[in-house]
Amino acid sequence: MSSDLFRNQKDSNSKPIPIPWLGSTREHTTIPNWLSGVYFQIGPGFFDINAQGETTAKQLSQSLVQLKIVHFKHWFDGLSHIHRLELKGGSNTALWNHTMIAKPYEKKISETATIDHTTFGPIIIENHEVSTSVVDSFKTHITPSENQEEAYNNNLGIQTINYDDKDHIIVTGYSSVVEEINPVDLKSKKVGNLIHSSFYPSSHYIYTPFKRYDPKTNELFSLVLEVGKVSSTFHIVCTSFPIGSHPERTESETFLFSSIPNVRVGYVHSFALTPHFIVIINCPYHAGSLGSGLKLALNQGSIQKTMKFSEQLDENSICYIISRKTGNLVKTFESAGFFYLNVINSFEEEVREPSGIASIDSDKSYNIYIDVVAYTDTNILNIFNIDELRTPSQVVNTVNRTTWSNTIRRYCLPNVPCNQNVESNQSGTPYWEQVVKDKVENPTWFVNSLVKPFKKIYYTATGTPEPPMENATKITDNNNNNNNNNNNNNNNNNNNNNNKRLKLNHSNNSSNNSSNNNINQSDLDVRFEYPASFEHLCNTTLEFPCINSNYNYREYRYVYGLFHPKKEKTFFTHLIKIDIQTMRVIKFNPANITADPYQEEGDITIPMMNEKVDIIPAGCPTFIPRVSTVFTNSKDNTEKNVDDDPNEDDGAVIAPFFDKLNRRSILIVINAKTFREIGRFNLPNNELMPFGSQGTFCNLESNESLE
């Protein structure tokens, strides 16, 4: 791994410069005609900031000023840097430029030497006394302004969103703001505020850096973890963009979509979305059951210093499933503890009746499938510590390096109902909305919640806790004779269900309980006792995955990402393509443009372990589809089986690489189907792309060119 990818990158928002296209063969002397648009790559690119302190001193008639240097010690926290490459089909050049879009955020730190939000890694501030002449060199840069503009650092996520008949670029990170970047001049503006009026100012808030966008509804969902002194809450915030069905709307709207109270304070890097559900996976990488808010405050808002991965057998991963129709928590699953950063894809399939007849909308249930890059520990987080990334990777310096590996898992969450009966709430208001209302109107609700640390409370469909076991047992005994028929019917239904709950001893008899009128039969269907099973799709180590975006939230076959040899003390070495149905792994070789990767036999990951690699991947790949539609049956317009779909890998993969011998950044365009190089762009020798966390592509036809 090259430490150059994690140095402070210089800011340059100058006029774009032409970069020549280098085709791999005579057939590709120019950029493919269909490949027109703008490619963006975002990632942390600045980690050390000079800040002027307030202390001054006199020594030998020379004014001394205390200069502070603020160091971000984890890659997740670096200042946002974005690269832009404008492609025009049939041309032999492309326009390239880059800039640091977090300039106001850097300016704010330079003026105050403070970080006022939650960060992933620790922040180190060094103090140095320097003469005023040194300070003068950057005095204009750190002069406080009276009307300081809003400052945020959206450095990890980037997505393309379409409305007003053109593409828009959205960037996200650990900040409380959804930010839009102009695809032409890279200027930014705020389009969504994730802070709701019901949020307590005294609480800490952790914003999941990767959001989920549904192009069919034009909605962007964000996850916020509110960390109180003891009790904590998950909030789902929705940013709705204008769509064609509502021509009267010209601006985006952000609103609180759902809340889940009394959750474990665990780190969530990303979450899953399907057409009908939102799935939050709370892994056992958490801050403990008591005093989470205090721990986070004592650790200066650092997630990495506050949370630890629990290897205890009873520490499970908890999956919360929220209905997109009602905003209610409809089902909860548990699985053996694991950790993940990225969700590859998620989709659902309708559960059919035994007769094959589809259910009516109100009774539909779905099986949810979530593909994640799963770890058995959190060593991957230590890999991205800046000190380790900047350490040379020679053999003598790899003794203390961290080893890590992962697998691709597919989790199955069966028989999830799309709708739940919430009539038990007498006001007719969903439970999560009532929670928010109580927080605002009744401050004692918050005080009472502080004495209820996280534990396995059996929440019902409406969110109200289930009655204690002993009370439910008494109710069962008293009503046993009256409910025998109901029990028999329920048991018959459960026998027809292939995915039974583990504990159903007292749920069947509580529906007729007159003393507990807030609980009915459907309420008791939501428990933590539903087990979530998984299967290994592939044992090859993969990170920074991407797929054809046209196959988001539906069944798919191919995934692209960065490969790391298992148990090797190195960083990513290759770009690979995985067929998750055949488990075949295809390696891309940037040093041999004539090689056919499909001619290699056997498991190509074995020789890759000790292979010397001089051109390494330098960021997340991005898939650019040639065809913008999915493969459907012409008769009924339904999606065909993924096995028969010829369009999924019909396109190009563009990925950044780094040439270690020549110390040069390269952007390579690869045929996604054959996984052979189409062409590349060599960036200027004095310009290095930082390691990129995510990329996206937008159409050129709807945006003004920089030419």
Side-chain angles (χ1 to χ4, degrees):
M1 188 63 208
S2 175
S3 59
D4 293 321
L5 298 175
F6 304 96
R7 302 291 180 186
N8 293 332
Q9 306 297 320
K10 61 180 181 180
D11 182 27
S12 175
N13 195 16
S14 58
K15 184 178 180 180
I17 60 175
I19 304 294
W21 164 266
L22 302 175
S24 60
T25 64
R26 293 181 179 179
E27 298 176 356
H28 301 124
T29 55
T30 60
I31 300 173
N33 293 327
W34 63 270
L35 189 57
S36 294
V38 184
Y39 163 75
F40 296 91
Q41 178 79 225
I42 196 171
F46 205 83
F47 305 92
D48 310 287
I49 304 172
N50 293 327
Q52 183 179 358
E54 300 177 354
T55 304
T56 59
K58 292 282 187 178
Q59 183 178 1
L60 301 176
S61 300
Q62 175 67 53
S63 296
L64 296 179
V65 178
Q66 186 181 31
L67 179 67
K68 296 182 178 181
I69 303 179
V70 180
H71 299 282
F72 292 102
K73 305 305 289 184
H74 199 277
W75 180 72
F76 288 175
D77 297 318
L79 299 188
S80 177
H81 208 97
I82 190 169
H83 283 252
R84 179 186 186 275
L85 183 72
E86 183 177 322
L87 304 168
K88 186 175 182 180
S91 175
N92 56 8
T93 59
L95 297 177
W96 172 80
N97 65 316
H98 65 98
T99 187
M100 184 174 67
I101 60 176
K103 290 179 182 178
Y105 184 74
E106 181 199 16
K107 182 178 180 181
K108 181 179 180 180
I109 297 176
S110 299
E111 295 173 355
T112 62
T114 58
I115 308 295
D116 58 0
H117 67 94
T118 301
T119 61
F120 185 85
I123 306 297
I124 304 298
I125 300 179
E126 294 183 5
N127 295 322
H128 301 276
E129 286 190 348
V130 298
S131 64
T132 54
S133 59
V134 175
V135 177
D136 288 340
S137 62
F138 63 95
K139 191 180 232 180
T140 57
H141 178 67
I142 63 174
T143 301
S145 56
E146 295 182 0
N147 299 321
Q148 188 175 19
E149 59 181 317
E150 289 186 278
Y152 16 82
N153 182 32
N154 289 308
N155 60 345
L156 293 179
I158 185 168
Q159 299 185 67
T160 300
I161 293 176
N162 186 278
Y163 64 91
D164 296 337
D165 296 327
K166 62 180 180 180
D167 288 340
H168 299 256
I169 305 300
I170 300 297
V171 294
T172 56
Y174 290 103
S175 74
S176 61
V177 166
V178 177
E179 197 174 2
E180 180 179 329
I181 301 297
N182 188 305
V184 179
D185 57 16
L186 301 181
K187 293 183 179 179
S188 63
K189 68 174 183 178
K190 182 173 70 173
V191 294
N193 188 352
L194 304 182
I195 301 178
H196 190 260
S197 58
S198 67
F199 292 179
Y200 285 105
S202 60
S203 298
H204 293 271
Y205 293 91
I206 301 176
Y207 302 90
T208 298
F210 289 96
K211 324 302 184 189
R212 290 297 173 191
Y213 170 66
D214 188 345
K216 292 184 178 180
T217 60
N218 239 16
E219 293 175 320
L220 182 75
F221 292 95
S222 306
L223 177 62
V224 183
L225 174 60
E226 178 184 358
V227 184
K229 294 181 179 179
V230 175
S231 181
S232 300
T233 303
F234 275 131
H235 300 287
I236 298 290
V237 180
C238 177
T239 302
S240 179
F241 296 93
I243 58 177
S245 58
H246 295 81
E248 70 279 0
R249 285 182 49 195
T250 58
E251 299 292 335
S252 59
E253 297 177 352
T254 302
F255 55 91
L256 183 62
F257 182 81
S258 181
S259 295
I260 306 176
N262 194 39
V263 299
R264 180 172 61 191
V265 182
Y267 177 68
V268 181
H269 196 72
S270 60
F271 58 99
L273 184 72
T274 69
H276 292 94
F277 304 100
I278 300 171
V279 183
I280 304 171
I281 305 178
N282 195 346
C283 296
Y285 179 64
H286 57 81
S289 59
L290 291 173
S292 302
L294 180 59
K295 291 179 184 178
L296 198 59
L298 293 176
N299 289 313
Q300 299 177 330
S302 170
I303 298 171
Q304 191 177 30
K305 293 178 64 177
T306 304
M307 299 186 182
K308 293 182 179 180
F309 184 77
S310 175
E311 297 181 352
Q312 298 180 11
L313 296 179
D314 60 342
E315 287 279 9
N316 293 337
S317 296
I318 304 172
C319 303
Y320 301 99
I321 303 180
I322 299 171
S323 170
R324 290 181 58 180
K325 182 176 182 180
T326 64
N328 286 325
L329 175 69
V330 293
K331 209 166 188 179
T332 311
F333 288 84
E334 272 190 322
S335 176
F338 72 99
F339 181 74
Y340 77 102
L341 289 175
N342 292 304
V343 175
I344 300 174
N345 199 12
S346 52
F347 56 95
E348 62 190 32
E349 65 175 5
E350 183 180 345
V351 178
R352 297 281 180 172
E353 296 293 335
S355 60
I357 302 175
S359 305
I360 60 176
D361 291 341
S362 60
D363 297 331
K364 284 184 177 180
S365 294
Y366 297 85
N367 294 331
I368 301 176
Y369 300 95
I370 305 174
D371 295 352
V372 300
V373 180
Y375 299 85
T376 57
D377 52 41
T378 55
N379 287 340
I380 182 64
L381 298 176
N382 300 328
I383 293 294
F384 288 101
N385 290 333
I386 289 299
D387 292 338
E388 183 160 342
L389 292 171
R390 290 177 173 177
T391 302
S393 57
Q394 286 80 4
V395 176
V396 294
N397 293 319
T398 59
V399 177
N400 296 322
R401 285 181 175 268
T402 306
T403 60
W404 54 278
S405 63
N406 59 40
T407 58
I408 300 178
R409 296 181 184 179
R410 171 167 292 177
Y411 281 84
C412 177
L413 312 177
N415 293 321
V416 180
C418 187
N419 298 305
Q420 279 282 16
N421 183 4
V422 293
E423 295 176 355
S424 60
N425 191 332
Q426 297 178 355
S427 64
T429 305
Y431 175 73
W432 70 269
E433 291 186 7
Q434 189 64 39
V435 169
V436 173
K437 182 178 180 181
D438 290 343
K439 288 176 64 176
V440 176
E441 299 180 356
N442 184 15
T444 58
W445 180 93
F446 178 67
V447 176
N448 293 333
S449 68
L450 295 183
V451 298
K452 298 178 181 178
F454 170 79
K455 59 181 178 179
K456 293 183 180 180
I457 295 180
Y458 302 140
Y459 280 108
T460 66
T462 58
T464 40
E466 185 180 332
M469 175 69 74
E470 57 272 12
N471 293 341
T473 304
K474 293 179 180 179
I475 295 169
T476 303
D477 294 337
N478 293 335
N479 297 313
N480 188 37
N481 295 329
N482 295 331
N483 292 308
N484 281 336
N485 294 331
N486 291 336
N487 285 338
N488 293 332
N489 293 333
N490 288 332
N491 289 333
N492 291 332
N493 292 333
N494 288 333
N495 290 333
N496 293 330
N497 188 346
N498 293 327
N499 300 280
K500 296 188 177 81
R501 297 181 292 273
L502 296 181
K503 295 182 180 179
L504 292 172
N505 295 332
H506 58 283
S507 63
N508 293 331
N509 300 312
S510 55
S511 58
N512 294 330
N513 176 22
S514 57
S515 61
N516 271 300
N517 54 11
N518 287 331
I519 296 178
N520 60 25
Q521 177 62 44
S522 64
D523 292 335
L524 298 176
D525 285 342
V526 178
R527 300 168 169 276
F528 282 137
E529 279 84 355
Y530 289 97
S533 61
F534 71 88
E535 62 175 327
H536 289 287
L537 295 183
C538 186
N539 290 325
T540 300
T541 302
L542 175 86
E543 253 308 343
F544 295 96
C546 83
I547 65 172
N548 185 339
S549 59
N550 292 327
Y551 291 77
N552 284 341
Y553 321 130
R554 63 177 292 244
E555 194 171 357
Y556 71 108
R557 180 170 181 174
Y558 301 107
V559 58
Y560 311 84
L562 307 187
F563 169 80
H564 161 75
K566 289 181 181 291
K567 300 182 180 179
E568 289 284 306
K569 296 183 178 182
T570 59
F571 208 60
F572 302 104
T573 59
H574 291 82
L575 174 68
I576 60 175
K577 172 185 179 181
I578 300 178
D579 185 336
I580 61 174
Q581 293 201 355
T582 64
M583 294 190 181
R584 185 170 186 184
V585 181
I586 304 300
K587 174 187 68 174
F588 173 72
N589 186 357
N592 187 355
I593 61 176
T594 62
D596 186 355
Y598 275 89
Q599 294 298 322
E600 298 189 24
E601 300 293 338
D603 187 356
I604 56 92
T605 62
I606 296 177
M608 290 167 64
M609 293 186 64
N610 299 317
E611 186 178 353
K612 183 180 179 181
V613 181
D614 293 325
I615 301 179
I616 58 176
C620 180
T622 302
F623 187 93
I624 306 172
R626 183 198 301 263
V627 182
S628 59
T629 57
V630 297
F631 194 44
T632 59
N633 285 315
S634 57
K635 294 182 179 180
D636 55 5
N637 199 35
T638 59
E639 294 175 358
K640 270 195 176 183
N641 190 298
V642 70
D643 295 337
D644 305 324
D645 193 341
N647 294 335
E648 183 176 348
D649 60 350
D650 185 14
V653 173
I654 183 169
F657 286 81
F658 182 75
D659 187 343
K660 294 192 295 184
L661 294 180
N662 299 309
R663 296 189 70 252
R664 180 174 59 191
S665 293
I666 307 171
L667 286 171
I668 301 181
V669 181
I670 305 161
N671 186 319
K673 189 177 290 290
T674 64
F675 221 49
R676 300 178 68 173
E677 180 176 337
I678 301 175
R680 65 176 66 187
F681 299 95
N682 291 331
L683 300 188
N685 291 332
N686 60 340
E687 300 283 359
L688 296 179
M689 286 185 65
F691 193 87
S693 60
Q694 194 173 29
T696 191
F697 190 82
C698 71
N699 294 323
L700 188 65
E701 301 133 347
S702 56
N703 294 308
E704 182 183 358
S705 173
L706 283 173
E707 288 186 307

